[in-house]
Amino acid sequence: MKAYVFPGQGSQFPGMGKDLYNEYQIAKKLFELANEILGFEITKILFEGTKEELQQTRVTQPAIYIHSVVMSKVMGDHFQPDAVAGHSLGEFSALTAAGTITYEAGLKLVSQRAEAMQKACDIEAGTMAAVLGLGDKKVVEICEHTPGLVVAANYNCPGQLVISGSVTAIETACESLKEAGARRALVLPVGGAFHSPLMEPASVELANAIDNTEFKTPICPVYQNVVADAVINPTAIQKNLVAQLTAPVRWTQSVEKMVAKGINNFTEIGPGKVLQGLIKKIAPEAATSSASFKLKNL
């Protein structure tokens, strides 16, 4: 059984998607439609922009979504997963590829999500830190005993957990985590405390946008970040998408659940190879590949 997985923020790179635009008519059409929907030439930033320009939240999130969904559309009839999943933002790409929301609706939601998250960051400063080489349980325990707001945000793979919260609490937690034996506890260059209660204002805004978007039953189960399990019901999918902004990304648990359900083949659809690396650490026996490899062999 095979799953298609979709990356989140951090997997972008300058020039991404240009080959798809030049080679496939459907890709060109979808990229140009994105320019219309967003109201600015995201293709210009994607194909010719700098790394810094791509890192702006209003650009990054739609850019990764567009690239991932375009890849899935280029696959055409070869897109036949037994399940899909996405890491954080990637969940929107997964839902679009699985037919739950249209490309246009998904892009509008991703754009609104990015703007709402930026506003939440402006309301209250926050940050995130990557913790390496310490068990998840120990990291969570230290976070719970740290003064201020600090929570587990991304369960990426065994021995790699990202924490999120207020700047002071993150700095304090990092010191405690190092003392407890973490190989590294490194504050990340991000604009806010994503997947933490500090994203609550964004969650309220996104909930309204999601309520006004049509969600259909996906073509296959979607393993959602919040519950780390397969979801088919459109109403449940909507609810989990809203909760995702303030809840942790349970990627480790999602992959473990997929493997337990018989999935042993994972294809990453989108820029980069981040998820393949994480999956290999979670389930070493699973086969991983990139959609770009599959496109060459269509």
Side-chain angles (χ1 to χ4, degrees), residues 216-274:
K216 293 178 180 173
T217 304
I219 60 167
C220 64
V222 180
Y223 282 76
Q224 288 193 278
N225 294 174
V226 172
V227 291
D229 208 345
V231 187
I232 284 279
N233 181 278
T235 306
I237 288 171
Q238 287 175 293
K239 184 181 156 201
N240 291 335
L241 263 191
V242 175
Q244 191 218 63
L245 273 181
T246 54
V249 172
R250 300 185 183 277
W251 188 251
T252 301
Q253 298 90 328
S254 297
V255 173
E256 286 172 344
K257 182 57 73 86
M258 283 188 267
V259 170
K261 293 277 181 77
I263 290 166
N264 54 8
N265 194 310
F266 294 84
T267 299
E268 184 165 3
I269 299 184
K273 296 180 178 178
V274 173

Side-chain angles (χ1 to χ4, degrees), residues 12-251:
Q12 70 277 2
F13 60 89
M16 65 189 237
K18 195 172 184 178
D19 53 343
L20 294 167
Y21 181 91
N22 291 332
E23 206 170 327
Y24 301 97
Q25 196 54 43
I26 186 164
K28 187 175 184 180
K29 183 183 167 189
L30 292 172
F31 274 116
E32 288 176 353
L33 180 57
N35 288 338
E36 285 176 40
I37 292 167
L38 295 171
F40 66 93
E41 275 196 88
I42 194 164
T43 48
K44 193 171 176 61
I45 302 171
L46 278 170
F47 305 158
E48 301 165 26
T50 62
K51 190 179 172 185
E52 287 68 36
E53 285 175 305
L54 264 180
Q55 280 175 337
Q56 301 169 53
T57 301
R58 68 185 274 271
V59 173
T60 312
Q61 294 196 26
I64 292 166
Y65 169 85
I66 294 161
H67 187 277
S68 300
V69 175
V70 165
M71 279 188 110
S72 74
K73 297 295 183 191
V74 166
M75 288 175 75
D77 293 340
H78 293 271
F79 185 86
Q80 293 181 354
D82 295 300
V84 295
H87 188 288
S88 189
L89 160 74
E91 204 163 86
F92 287 84
S93 312
L95 288 167
T96 302
T100 302
I101 46 178
T102 65
Y103 172 70
E104 296 88 338
L107 183 52
K108 284 174 188 169
L109 284 178
V110 165
S111 181
Q112 287 168 302
R113 179 183 188 263
E115 298 286 354
M117 286 168 80
Q118 187 55 58
K119 280 189 219 164
C121 294
D122 295 341
I123 292 168
E124 192 167 350
T127 192
M128 302 174 85
V131 184
L132 306 179
L134 203 60
D136 292 350
K137 199 173 174 185
K138 188 66 181 172
V139 176
V140 171
E141 187 186 307
I142 289 170
C143 287
E144 286 171 349
H145 288 92
T146 301
L149 177 66
V150 54
V151 295
N154 291 11
Y155 291 85
N156 284 335
C157 67
Q160 188 189 127
L161 199 158
V162 176
I163 58 173
S164 182
S166 66
V167 176
T168 313
I170 289 287
E171 287 169 352
T172 305
C174 282
E175 290 308 310
S176 303
L177 289 159
K178 285 176 198 166
E179 286 167 17
R183 195 166 75 248
R184 293 187 82 181
L186 183 71
V187 177
L188 299 170
V190 294
F194 307 133
H195 300 292
S196 85
L198 290 183
M199 286 293 114
E200 188 55 44
S203 184
V204 172
E205 207 169 311
L206 185 64
N208 187 46
I210 284 174
D211 281 347
N212 290 305
T213 303
E214 185 187 4
F215 277 64
K216 293 178 180 173
T217 304
I219 60 167
C220 64
V222 180
Y223 282 76
Q224 288 193 278
N225 294 174
V226 172
V227 291
D229 208 345
V231 187
I232 284 279
N233 181 278
T235 306
I237 288 171
Q238 287 175 293
K239 184 181 156 201
N240 291 335
L241 263 191
V242 175
Q244 191 218 63
L245 273 181
T246 54
V249 172
R250 300 185 183 277
W251 188 251

